[in-house]
Amino acid sequence: MRTVEQFSAISAQVRRDIIRMVTMAGSGHPGGSMGCADIMTALFFGVMNHDPGMWSRTGKGQDAFILSAGHMAPVYYSVLARAGYFPPSELGTLRKFGSRLQGHPSVSKSLPGVFQPSGSLGQGLSAAAGIALAKKMDGTDEKVYVLCGDGESEEGQIWEAGMFCAHHRLSNLIAMTDWNGQQIDGPTAEVAGIGDLEAKWKSFGWNVITVADGNDFEQILDAFGKAEAAVGGDRPTMILFRTEMGHGVDFMAGTHKWHGKAPSEEQCAAALEQIPETLGDF
């Protein structure tokens, strides 16, 4: 297992990738991606059993990850590239015509690491549930991870999938919610009042782990350890990560205004001054 310092170095580069990718594309979603960089770094570089060299869309032989909140594609692409699924140099093609790195994850060009397209919000948990049920029926010890958003959790399909997972006792499914309290139109409490997600998921029959600081590696890794300990039990697990949208850059942090806005060249330079280059820019 890597040290906290090593995880922090990787996530710093991931954040630099996100800023540079979205700036070069002139569009994209940096806010949520920045907020989830630490979670995704811990997952892909310390928790999940996966091998880029053995990956196939069948999902057989290793753990699977689904990005349900598909607009956070920049962080997904960065961790995939840095983990070895494709060259980091390809990150510069985000949202370009003909690129494999579309604005939301797509399988049309067979990008390694992507199991499921996720442009429409609310669908990823259903896809993850199907994969988890298949793995359970196959009798494997492989796990399925899925990342949802708190704004996305206003979609009814999330809760239909939640009932399905609990009913089928999919303890091999570990879901996560990016609980940053923000969505495209403003704070979630003001847009739709999503309420107490912890109580809701518990009432749906899930094992729930709430993380006070989803940008702290010690808390993140502890939560994943608890979730993995529950695999083999009688219920799926939801980890609720309290994160900060735009985390890592002072003028982006804690506001919905950077949900889907690309930085200018000047803003990009200012942001990169706050984030160390650790693995080499693409």
Side-chain angles (χ1 to χ4, degrees):
M1 177 68 75
R2 290 177 169 84
T3 65
V4 168
E5 290 73 21
Q6 290 171 321
F7 282 121
S8 296
I10 297 170
S11 67
Q13 189 63 56
V14 168
R15 286 191 169 91
R16 286 184 67 90
D17 289 347
I18 293 165
I19 294 294
R20 296 183 70 242
M21 291 163 66
V22 175
T23 302
M24 292 169 68
S27 63
H29 296 80
S33 292
M34 297 280 284
C36 286
D38 303 312
I39 298 168
M40 292 287 281
T41 295
L43 181 63
F44 273 82
F45 292 89
V47 175
M48 196 166 66
N49 176 29
H50 66 113
D51 180 354
M54 299 292 291
W55 185 85
S56 76
R57 201 178 166 209
T58 66
K60 292 185 178 295
Q62 52 189 315
D63 296 341
F65 171 78
I66 299 293
L67 178 64
S68 188
H71 57 279
M72 293 194 291
V75 69
Y76 190 17
Y77 296 151
S78 176
V79 295
L80 286 176
R82 296 297 175 177
Y85 283 86
F86 54 87
S89 59
E90 194 171 349
L91 295 174
T93 71
L94 175 71
R95 290 178 168 247
K96 300 294 175 59
F97 184 75
S99 172
R100 298 194 296 178
L101 278 59
Q102 298 186 25
H104 292 74
S106 170
V107 298
S108 64
K109 295 182 182 295
S110 302
L111 182 67
V114 177
F115 289 97
Q116 176 75 13
S118 49
S120 299
L121 292 177
Q123 298 179 355
L125 184 57
S126 296
I131 298 171
L133 180 59
K135 289 183 178 296
K136 181 179 179 179
M137 293 173 68
D138 285 345
T140 75
D141 60 358
E142 299 154 16
K143 298 176 288 297
V144 181
Y145 297 85
V146 56
L147 178 60
C148 306
D150 53 355
E152 178 190 19
S153 297
E154 295 163 8
E155 298 281 357
Q157 187 172 342
I158 289 284
W159 303 102
E160 294 176 45
M163 289 187 290
F164 178 93
C165 295
H167 176 75
H168 289 281
R169 295 183 170 86
L170 300 181
S171 70
N172 59 337
L173 188 146
I174 299 174
M176 301 157 277
T177 296
D178 174 34
W179 200 358
N180 61 28
Q182 307 290 333
Q183 61 188 93
I184 188 170
D185 292 325
T188 53
E190 296 179 10
V191 176
I194 197 164
D196 189 342
L197 285 177
E198 182 176 8
K200 283 179 173 155
W201 282 107
K202 285 181 177 179
S203 73
F204 270 67
W206 285 56
N207 173 44
V208 180
I209 301 166
T210 301
V211 179
D213 186 350
N215 296 115
D216 179 90
F217 278 109
E218 291 186 353
Q219 294 185 44
I220 293 169
L221 294 169
D222 179 68
F224 277 128
K226 291 176 180 176
E228 289 186 323
V231 173
D234 62 353
R235 59 184 61 195
T237 292
M238 171 60 75
I239 308 176
L240 299 171
F241 286 108
R242 288 283 196 178
T243 61
E244 179 181 52
M245 180 172 278
H247 186 80
V249 175
D250 55 9
F251 61 85
M252 299 177 73
T255 173
H256 72 279
K257 295 180 180 180
W258 290 95
H259 170 90
K261 175 184 175 182
S264 66
E265 292 292 341
E266 294 75 18
Q267 289 169 326
C268 175
L272 294 178
E273 286 182 359
Q274 301 179 43
I275 310 170
E277 180 181 352
T278 56
L279 303 180
D281 289 336
F282 60 85

